[in-house]
Amino acid sequence: MQPDLSRSSYIPYFDGLRGFGALIVLMTHMGLSGLFPFGDLKPFQFFYNGSFAVDLFFALSGCVMAMLAHRSSESYAAISVRRYVRLALPATAACLLSALILLSGLYYNQKLAAFNGSTWLALWFNSHANLGMALREGMIRIFEHPVSAYDSSLWTMMFELWCSLVIFAGVYLLRFRWLCFTAAAIATYYVGLKYMIAPISFCIGAATYYLRYWFLDPVETSSRTVRTAVGTVATIIAAYGFYLGSYPGLSPDGVLYRWLLFTPGLSPWQWASAFGGPIIVLAIGWSPIFRWLFACRVMRYLGRISFAFYLLHLPILCSLGAWSYLVFRNAMVTFIITTGAILVCATLFERYIDRPSIRFSRWVSQWIDRHEQLRFGRSASPLHPEHEIQHKQPVIS
């Protein structure tokens, strides 16, 4: 999801990568709806592998949340509440919007599911709407359980919040953080969360920030030969991450994935899901090709509206998208209408709901820190690595 960072922390190619992930989620859901108009995109099946896109979101969030906590002077309480407010307000708005569509009888996904046999479409919006329940769901329930009756995409919000709080605690309290986060990812896997990839991707994403911060960022000040060599290797590594992201879209029995079938202790899907996204996050900053691709104007625009895009795409797909297919019976026309509507609505949502939510979350965090200063008579939280901020600034922007 789109992070709440200051201007000095803005990373253009991360924004573009986030927008790319939002497009993947849309195309995956179009495919599950039976509305994907482009056929089989071999060997680029990561274009409609939603699991890979969500894992990429989690890895990006882990990296960005580690950077945010490392560079911020906010207390742990302030930065944690800021994260909750930043996620909860747009999610609540999306739930209320979906409830209004349901109350108006404008969801046509059940009719489309009966027409084309999509079992996935038949799962959503088959109950009665209640604005009070929608409000409670957006503010509370989606952070308690990874499920939502009003927008199934909100299942990620629980992990976005709680994994962020764990990352903040690790940044504020631990030494050798990259090693700690890597160990936490491994431990999370082996204690029984083999099928819950989010904590693993978050921890590895946070570790990638410290790997970049301590070991790889000095490359920027190295000779041109060193930068060229590192850029070439990084391009290969990032391409490998996208290769992992295309599993299981490519045939698991094919030559390209045969070696993954014999990975000790991990299933091929677990390996691809846990490591594909973090590998891209780690390598993309040193790859001239990928950095240029994801930092272009179009991708940065998609990145800016990516959170709104992600929140709104399913309600629009199941209402306007399903209706347009029932009327025109053409997948390409439906794709154009649906995507255009999502882009317009996401742009408006980002401007009038998402952006004010970010500003309000910052105001709340500042109010909390001012209250703590007045109460305890100190200028900063003791749980913050201020010595690192003073003596070394990251150069990854």
Side-chain angles (χ1 to χ4, degrees), residues 218-229:
V219 169
E220 297 293 337
T221 60
S222 302
S223 66
R224 183 175 180 179
T225 301
V226 172
R227 292 198 304 271
T228 301

Side-chain angles (χ1 to χ4, degrees), residues 212-281:
R212 295 162 62 98
Y213 176 49
W214 292 111
F215 300 111
L216 296 176
D217 282 338
V219 169
E220 297 293 337
T221 60
S222 302
S223 66
R224 183 175 180 179
T225 301
V226 172
R227 292 198 304 271
T228 301
V230 171
T232 302
V233 173
T235 300
I236 296 172
I237 293 174
Y240 171 71
F242 284 107
Y243 152 77
L244 288 178
S246 63
Y247 186 93
L250 293 176
S251 172
D253 300 323
V255 175
L256 286 175
Y257 280 100
R258 187 162 297 169
W259 71 275
L260 277 177
L261 301 178
F262 303 99
T263 306
L266 292 167
S267 75
W269 179 84
Q270 291 161 358
W271 178 277
S273 294
F275 297 102
I279 285 173
I280 295 171
V281 172

Side-chain angles (χ1 to χ4, degrees), residues 11 13-15 17-18 52-67 201-213 216-217 234 237-242 274-287 290 294 396:
I11 304 175
Y13 46 86
F14 272 13
D15 232 14
L17 196 59
R18 193 174 297 108
F52 165 65
V54 172
D55 172 65
L56 187 60
F57 286 146
F58 287 145
L60 279 167
S61 291
C63 181
V64 172
M65 290 305 106
M67 178 175 65
S201 297
F202 252 89
C203 288
I204 298 178
T208 63
Y209 168 68
Y210 282 98
L211 287 172
R212 295 162 62 98
Y213 176 49
L216 296 176
D217 282 338
I237 293 174
Y240 171 71
F242 284 107
F275 297 102
I279 285 173
I280 295 171
V281 172
L282 178 64
I284 191 173
W286 292 274
S287 168
F290 285 111
F294 289 106
I396 65 174

Side-chain angles (χ1 to χ4, degrees), residues 366-377:
Q366 292 167 5
W367 182 88
I368 291 174
D369 275 343
R370 283 198 303 269
H371 179 74
E372 285 192 352
Q373 292 167 19
L374 292 173
R375 183 179 178 185
F376 297 107

Side-chain angles (χ1 to χ4, degrees), residues 72-96:
S72 174
S73 59
E74 297 168 300
S75 66
Y76 180 77
I79 200 172
S80 299
V81 173
R82 174 182 173 182
R83 182 62 173 161
Y84 164 75
V85 172
R86 190 270 172 277
L87 294 172
L89 293 183
T92 301
C95 284
L96 291 172

Side-chain angles (χ1 to χ4, degrees), residues 6 32 68 76 94 122 184 193 234 240 251 256 259 295-297 309 319 322 387 395:
S6 64
L32 291 171
L68 173 63
Y76 180 77
L193 295 179
Y240 171 71
S251 172
L256 286 175
W259 71 275
C296 70
R297 180 174 297 182
F309 190 105
S319 56
H387 61 284
V395 290

Side-chain angles (χ1 to χ4, degrees), residues 96-390:
L96 291 172
L97 176 63
S98 179
L100 288 173
I101 297 173
L102 189 56
L103 283 170
S104 303
L106 296 178
Y107 278 122
Y108 295 92
N109 56 294
Q110 297 295 330
K111 293 182 180 179
L112 180 57
F115 175 77
N116 68 0
S118 171
T119 56
W120 182 83
L121 270 180
L123 295 173
W124 318 122
F125 311 119
N126 52 10
S127 60
H128 297 291
N130 183 297
L131 291 178
M133 290 298 296
L135 180 64
R136 184 173 183 272
E137 183 165 299
M139 297 299 295
I140 300 173
R141 287 187 59 82
I142 59 171
F143 301 109
E144 296 177 335
H145 308 285
V147 63
S148 171
Y150 295 99
D151 190 343
S152 67
S153 299
L154 294 177
W155 73 267
T156 59
M157 293 298 102
M158 187 184 81
F159 299 105
E160 287 282 352
L161 177 63
W162 293 107
C163 291
S164 294
L165 300 190
V166 171
I167 297 301
F168 295 158
V171 172
Y172 280 47
L173 298 175
L174 300 176
R175 299 180 64 85
F176 305 107
R177 295 180 186 91
W178 71 273
L179 186 60
C180 293
F181 287 133
T182 303
I186 296 172
T188 300
Y189 174 81
Y190 282 106
V191 297
L193 295 179
K194 296 182 180 182
Y195 300 100
M196 199 60 73
I197 300 300
I200 302 175
S201 297
F202 252 89
C203 288
I204 298 178
T208 63
Y209 168 68
Y210 282 98
L211 287 172
R212 295 162 62 98
Y213 176 49
W214 292 111
F215 300 111
L216 296 176
D217 282 338
V219 169
E220 297 293 337
T221 60
S222 302
S223 66
R224 183 175 180 179
T225 301
V226 172
R227 292 198 304 271
T228 301
V230 171
T232 302
V233 173
T235 300
I236 296 172
I237 293 174
Y240 171 71
F242 284 107
Y243 152 77
L244 288 178
S246 63
Y247 186 93
L250 293 176
S251 172
D253 300 323
V255 175
L256 286 175
Y257 280 100
R258 187 162 297 169
W259 71 275
L260 277 177
L261 301 178
F262 303 99
T263 306
L266 292 167
S267 75
W269 179 84
Q270 291 161 358
W271 178 277
S273 294
F275 297 102
I279 285 173
I280 295 171
V281 172
L282 178 64
I284 191 173
W286 292 274
S287 168
I289 295 175
F290 285 111
R291 186 163 52 186
W292 169 81
L293 177 64
F294 289 106
C296 70
R297 180 174 297 182
V298 172
M299 298 306 295
R300 283 188 283 117
Y301 161 72
L302 289 174
R304 190 177 75 248
I305 66 169
S306 60
F307 193 23
F309 190 105
Y310 179 79
L311 293 176
L312 298 179
H313 81 277
L314 188 64
I316 294 175
L317 173 62
C318 291
S319 56
L320 178 62
W323 172 85
S324 64
Y325 188 80
L326 290 171
V327 171
F328 298 106
R329 305 292 173 88
N330 186 290
M332 181 59 71
V333 172
T334 299
F335 180 83
I336 293 172
I337 292 174
T338 304
T339 304
I342 294 172
L343 289 173
V344 171
C345 293
T347 300
L348 295 173
F349 191 97
E350 187 272 337
R351 176 175 297 179
Y352 296 110
I353 295 177
D354 199 25
R355 211 179 298 175
S357 299
I358 294 174
R359 290 196 296 265
F360 182 68
S361 70
R362 289 172 178 164
W363 179 87
V364 170
S365 69
Q366 292 167 5
W367 182 88
I368 291 174
D369 275 343
R370 283 198 303 269
H371 179 74
E372 285 192 352
Q373 292 167 19
L374 292 173
R375 183 179 178 185
F376 297 107
R378 61 185 180 226
S379 60
S381 168
L383 297 180
H384 199 279
E386 290 186 77
H387 61 284
E388 295 183 14
I389 295 176
Q390 293 171 358

